[in-house]
Structure formats: structure tokens, C-alpha cells
Amino acid sequence: MPQVTPLRQQRTNCSDCRLATLCLPENLDDVAVNDLDGIIKRPRPLDRGAPLFHSGGDFRAIYAIRTGAVKTSRLLPNGDEFVSGFYLPGEVIGLDAINYNNHPTTAVALETTSVCEVPFSDLEKLSLNRPALQRHMMRIMSRELATEQTLNQVLVHRSAEQRLAVVLVSLSDRFGNRGLSPKRFRLPMSRHELGNYLGLAPETMSRIFRRLEKQELVCTDGRDITLLNQTELRLLAHGESEVPLRSGRA
Amino acid sequence: MPQVTPLRQQRTNCSDCRLATLCLPENLDDVAVNDLDGIIKRPRPLDRGAPLFHSGGDFRAIYAIRTGAVKTSRLLPNGDEFVSGFYLPGEVIGLDAINYNNHPTTAVALETTSVCEVPFSDLEKLSLNRPALQRHMMRIMSRELATEQTLNQVLVHRSAEQRLAVVLVSLSDRFGNRGLSPKRFRLPMSRHELGNYLGLAPETMSRIFRRLEKQELVCTDGRDITLLNQTELRLLAHGESEVPLRSGRA
DNA sequence: GCCCCTACTTGACGATCATCAAGTCGCTTA
DNA sequence: TAAGCGACTTGATGATCGTCAAGTAGGGGC
């Protein structure tokens, strides 16, 4: 049930939040929602480029994006950066830090971004007596895991063109689920960051974008993207178009 | 505290299992271990090639490997197979099925394999009153998530040689943690399967193996592997050797 | 012991994509 | 408005790795 309140309006609690269906469990009763609401902090918005947490930093909380966008990345000793993910409103980050009690990645706001901070120890206590909440945590993590595995296979087995198609479709779906247009959207990240995420050089990104334009699948204006032929783009992304896979026989 | 009982001896309960430190939480009291033991089923061993569960099949339980080895893979409509993981004793599979209530992957025994089957609904009930168990589940999933992300980056940003080095080091560590030799071990999977997992053609696998042999890093005899220079192999795997990364500047 | 089938190996060739180099565009700052 | 800087584009070139083809070796069944 999406509500009509505009995205930018400040949320003060979970029960009003239009993103609740994305980040809250379905069967959570009002009392539980209030309890959850009680432990959540809502820090002031982060500016573009501001870090949410640093690689190696202590794990204290997980974060749900409310507005904006976040990228996570690992920094190698030699200075190379590896972008590991992009996160949109309603998505949760920091789950990969639970085991070792510190963050494997650095999270940085790609634009002005507000988040809900959920202290993990509080969340653990709260979920002890609440099956719905415990189950929800497991589900979120399970879904992340499956997504990550799928991504792995996409990146390893598919061509540059198909990789790009996959992220474009993914972003389209995610924007669509958030009540925004699945056909026209603005990329929150640079070509460089997107390429890094996909394991492609920025030059290749540029060429692939234009190749997709020539096929009349998408239309680009800088970071503004219009999907012209979603059906065909999805076929390409799922490796079912006439274009062969990168290692189809493998 | 590893015990001296041989691996092949049938385990009848968790408290005796030498793998307990791998798949059980640290702080679980004896009563809880007994409760857990009570819900676990121990089906008769799977033959090589036998499926543990099928892609698309209902999710009922997660599985801890006791002996043997398992590979998970996805099957595309066109018949292509994508290997997503290899699992050794003490490792848990099926966690990626929690969210959608069915298995995204097919799991198949690579050799004679025995598992502990943990019905998930029972596990959920049990963990409700047991913080240690609930936390343990989260940790396992969190670790999986972090591992999967790291793997992603390895596969996307590194050369064939480095990819192979990464799995060899990973297997070495995992065998080592299980009380086996980290220097000499037998691969449970074929070159074809390993290559598929790494996104490399079998022919490339063959060539890379011999390149590593020429560098005197490893020595191979079919599936039998000996690591001759672990230090250098690890440097190669972590991208810190003199060999440049595949997209180092990205 | 022999055969066959599969796994693996080896070589030749070509496609994809990274790299290097030199641009253009657009946005910010003065 | 102009300057300057970073993001993006475009082209040329080459390395890596996939593909095709033809082999060899090893293991299970008879």
C-alpha cells in the first residue's frame, strides 16, 4: 500500500514510512513496529561523498536507506578501489559486518542521503521474542545472498553488453518498486563507478552504452537513462537474446 | 579442541562431532546442543552425483556437510550450467533459499557425502529462546555474504591466473582448518567444474595450471594438488605480487 | 587384459575488452 | 563570461582468454 506522501518529507517513525513494506516484515504487529521504532536513530542527512561507515570500522548498526543512494567499496593496500554494491531507498546495508564485528566495506553517500540507523545489539534483543522480526532478518540476508550469487554468475559468465543490461534492468526494477519510473531514471553513480562494479574499464562502459543506443534499447543523456525497449533489454540481460553468452558452452 | 576420532566414523550427535567448532556457535550450552541435536536428521550418505536438493524445489531444511563435498549450481533454460559454489565438511548450504522458500540452486554430491539435515522451521523455533543460536545463524549468513562479495571482486577484477590462485588458497585454508594438509590435497571437482565456477574455459584452466607449475608454485597430478610455494601463491591470489591486476587502475 | 568413454591437454586463431592517447563536453568557480 | 577541471568520449593497438580442432591419458566395465 504505497502512500502519497512525497519522498523527501522527513519520516519520524516507521508506521508512516512509505518504504515500510520494503524494510519491515509483513506480519509485524503495531506494538512491535513501535518497539522497533524506539531503537532506530535517524541521523541528519549525509552530504554527497560523506561516509556512512569505514572499512575496518567497528560494527554497531545496520542501516536502511531512506532517501538518496549509497555505494559500498573495498580499498586495497595499493590504493585500488573495488566497488561492491549500490543501494537505494528501502535497502539495508551493513549485514556483511555481523560476523567479524567490523565492516569489510566502506559506505559512501552518492548524493544527499538520509538513513535509518538500527543498532544491532538492540535489534538482536528485540528480535529474540519476535518471530516475525527474527525471520525477517534472516530473509533479508538470505535474499542478499541469493542476489550476490546471481550477480557473481552474471559478471563471470556474461559479456560487457550483458553485464550493463543486467544492472540497467536491476535499477529499473528497483526504481519501479519504489514508485518511480522504471523507464526513465538518473544513475546515482558515475560511469567509472559503474564500470568498476561490473569489472569494466570506463572506456568500455562508454562504448557499450553507445552500442545499446545503436540497438535502440536505451537512450542516454549523461546520467539520465531512458529504456526504449525493456523487453529486448531483459532478454539481453537474461542471456536469452540472440547474442551468445560469453562462455556459453562452459 | 579437535578430537582424534577419524572422519569417516559415523557421527550420531553434535556433542561428539569434531566439526562442531565449525558449525555450532561457541557459547551454546549443553542443553541447547542436545535440543539442536534432537531436530537434526542424518540421512544415509549420498553417492557421487546424487542431488541433495533441486533448483526450484521447496525449502525445508539447511544442510551441514559432515563428510565429502558438494557443488551448487544454477541451470539456465537453454541448458547451460553455472556452478555457484563448492562446499566442504563443516560448511552449511541452503541459506540462500530462506527468503523465497525455494532453492535457487541445485546441490549435488561430488563424492560420497554425508550431511546433517536441519529442518528450518524447527531451527527457527529453537532459536527463538536461544540468543546464541540466533546470533550464530546471523553470523553464518553474514560470513557467507562477505565471502560472496569478496569472491565477486576477485572474479571480476583479476586475471585467470589470479582467480585460480584464489581458489587454491581458499581450498588450502579450508582443508587446513579441517585438520587436513593445507599443502597437499585432492580437488573434489573437475577442471570443467572449477573453470565454470571461475568463469574460465576448461582449456584455459589447463593452461593456467601449467603456468603455475612452470612458476613452481604448485605441482599437479590430475586432481591431486601440491602447493610448492604458499607464500608466493598467496601474494598472487591477493593481487600483491609483481603481476599486475586485470584492471588495476579501475 | 582390452575397449571405450570421458577428462584433460595442446595448438592455432580470433573476439573481446584493457590500455594508451587525445580529444570534447559540461559543470563549477571566479 | 571565461577559465579550469573532471567526467565522459573516441580511436588505435595489443593482451588475454574463448573457441575450434585434434589429439592423449586414465578409469570403469566387460
Side-chain angles (χ1 to χ4, degrees):
Chain A
M1 300 303 116
Q3 296 165 29
V4 290
T5 40
L7 260 180
R8 65 172 166 277
Q9 181 186 321
Q10 290 298 323
R11 304 285 144 234
T12 48
N13 58 60
C14 292
S15 42
D16 283 354
C17 182
R18 78 179 316 191
L19 294 170
T21 50
L22 289 168
C23 77
L24 285 185
E26 292 172 14
N27 313 326
L28 208 60
D29 57 76
D30 290 351
V31 182
V33 171
N34 273 333
D35 287 349
L36 187 60
D37 212 58
I39 67 172
I40 291 180
K41 292 172 194 162
R42 296 182 178 79
R44 50 194 300 282
L46 284 76
D47 289 335
R48 177 169 137 71
L52 188 50
F53 50 75
H54 276 289
S55 168
D58 285 351
F59 171 59
R60 302 193 191 289
I62 60 176
Y63 302 84
I65 317 282
R66 263 189 301 159
T67 66
V70 168
K71 84 165 176 191
T72 55
S73 62
R74 289 160 203 250
L75 220 57
L76 260 59
N78 61 8
D80 286 341
E81 185 190 18
F82 292 80
V83 176
S84 56
F86 301 108
Y87 297 86
L88 300 181
E91 296 174 342
V92 175
I93 60 180
L95 296 166
D96 52 359
I98 295 174
N99 184 52
Y100 298 108
N101 245 313
N102 61 55
H103 290 283
T105 64
T106 296
V108 168
L110 290 169
E111 51 194 67
T112 306
T113 295
S114 59
V115 300
C116 292
E117 181 179 328
V118 191
F120 189 66
S121 53
D122 295 343
L123 181 60
E124 270 193 315
K125 279 178 218 145
L126 202 62
S127 64
L128 258 187
N129 309 315
R130 306 198 182 280
L133 197 51
Q134 175 182 318
R135 164 163 275 217
H136 187 64
M137 287 301 298
M138 301 261 234
R139 286 201 169 177
I140 291 184
M141 296 187 75
S142 169
R143 189 183 42 184
E144 281 289 291
L145 204 50
T147 306
E148 208 68 37
Q149 281 178 8
T150 309
L151 178 70
N152 249 330
Q153 299 184 333
V154 165
L155 295 184
V156 167
H157 291 282
R158 307 250 253 257
S159 71
E161 201 170 314
Q162 291 174 311
R163 294 186 206 182
L164 181 52
V166 166
V167 270
L168 290 180
V169 165
S170 163
L171 286 170
S172 166
D173 288 342
R174 288 150 79 192
F175 282 124
N177 285 337
R178 278 149 193 82
L180 303 172
S181 168
K183 291 191 61 177
R184 318 185 96 245
F185 49 85
R186 189 175 172 75
L187 297 176
M189 74 295 279
S190 70
R191 298 268 192 283
H192 184 93
E193 289 164 327
L194 192 55
N196 185 310
Y197 177 65
L198 295 175
L200 300 170
E203 295 94 328
T204 305
M205 292 301 295
S206 194
R207 286 184 248 268
I208 301 295
F209 262 117
R210 235 159 6 89
R211 209 188 295 171
L212 292 183
E213 285 189 324
K214 275 189 188 130
Q215 297 176 249
E216 301 196 333
L217 296 178
V218 306
C219 173
T220 71
D221 174 20
R223 294 191 177 186
D224 290 316
I225 306 289
T226 309
L227 305 189
L228 299 176
N229 188 339
Q230 287 204 54
T231 333
E232 199 53 46
L233 193 67
R234 275 166 206 279
L235 287 178
L236 178 60
H238 297 135
E240 289 158 12
S241 93
E242 65 277 9
V243 187
L245 288 183
R246 210 163 86 97
S247 66
R249 315 285 117 229
Chain B
M1 296 308 112
Q3 296 165 31
V4 289
T5 38
L7 260 181
R8 63 172 166 278
Q9 181 187 320
Q10 289 299 324
R11 303 287 142 233
T12 48
N13 58 59
C14 291
S15 42
D16 283 353
C17 180
R18 78 181 314 196
L19 294 170
T21 50
L22 288 169
C23 79
L24 285 184
E26 291 172 16
N27 313 326
L28 208 60
D29 56 77
D30 290 351
V31 182
V33 171
N34 273 332
D35 287 349
L36 187 59
D37 211 57
I39 66 172
I40 292 180
K41 293 171 192 160
R42 294 181 181 79
R44 50 195 299 282
L46 284 77
D47 290 335
R48 177 169 136 73
L52 188 51
F53 49 74
H54 275 290
S55 167
D58 284 351
F59 171 59
R60 302 193 192 289
I62 59 176
Y63 302 85
I65 317 282
R66 262 189 303 158
T67 66
V70 168
K71 85 165 176 192
T72 54
S73 62
R74 288 158 204 251
L75 219 59
L76 259 59
N78 61 7
D80 286 341
E81 185 190 19
F82 292 81
V83 176
S84 56
F86 301 107
Y87 297 85
L88 300 181
E91 295 174 342
V92 176
I93 60 181
L95 296 166
D96 51 0
I98 296 175
N99 184 53
Y100 297 109
N101 245 313
N102 61 55
H103 289 285
T105 63
T106 295
V108 167
L110 290 170
E111 50 194 71
T112 306
T113 296
S114 60
V115 300
C116 292
E117 181 179 327
V118 191
F120 190 66
S121 54
D122 295 344
L123 182 60
E124 268 192 317
K125 279 178 217 142
L126 202 61
S127 63
L128 258 188
N129 311 316
R130 308 201 181 277
L133 196 52
Q134 175 182 321
R135 165 164 274 217
H136 186 65
M137 288 299 298
M138 300 264 231
R139 285 200 171 179
I140 290 183
M141 298 188 74
S142 168
R143 190 183 42 186
E144 279 290 291
L145 203 51
T147 306
E148 208 68 37
Q149 282 178 9
T150 309
L151 178 70
N152 248 329
Q153 299 184 334
V154 165
L155 295 183
V156 166
H157 290 282
R158 306 248 252 256
S159 72
E161 201 171 313
Q162 291 174 311
R163 293 186 208 184
L164 181 52
V166 166
V167 269
L168 291 180
V169 164
S170 163
L171 287 170
S172 166
D173 288 343
R174 288 149 78 193
F175 283 123
N177 285 337
R178 278 149 193 82
L180 303 172
S181 168
K183 290 190 64 176
R184 318 184 96 245
F185 49 86
R186 189 175 172 75
L187 297 177
M189 73 295 281
S190 69
R191 298 269 192 282
H192 184 93
E193 290 165 326
L194 193 55
N196 185 310
Y197 177 65
L198 295 175
L200 299 170
E203 296 93 331
T204 305
M205 291 301 295
S206 195
R207 285 183 248 269
I208 301 295
F209 262 117
R210 234 156 8 86
R211 209 189 294 170
L212 291 184
E213 285 189 324
K214 278 193 186 125
Q215 298 176 251
E216 302 197 331
L217 296 179
V218 307
C219 174
T220 72
D221 173 19
R223 293 190 178 187
D224 290 316
I225 306 290
T226 309
L227 305 189
L228 299 176
N229 187 339
Q230 288 203 54
T231 334
E232 199 52 47
L233 192 66
R234 274 166 206 279
L235 287 179
L236 178 60
H238 296 135
E240 290 159 9
S241 92
E242 66 277 9
V243 186
L245 290 181
R246 210 166 86 97
S247 67
R249 318 282 120 231

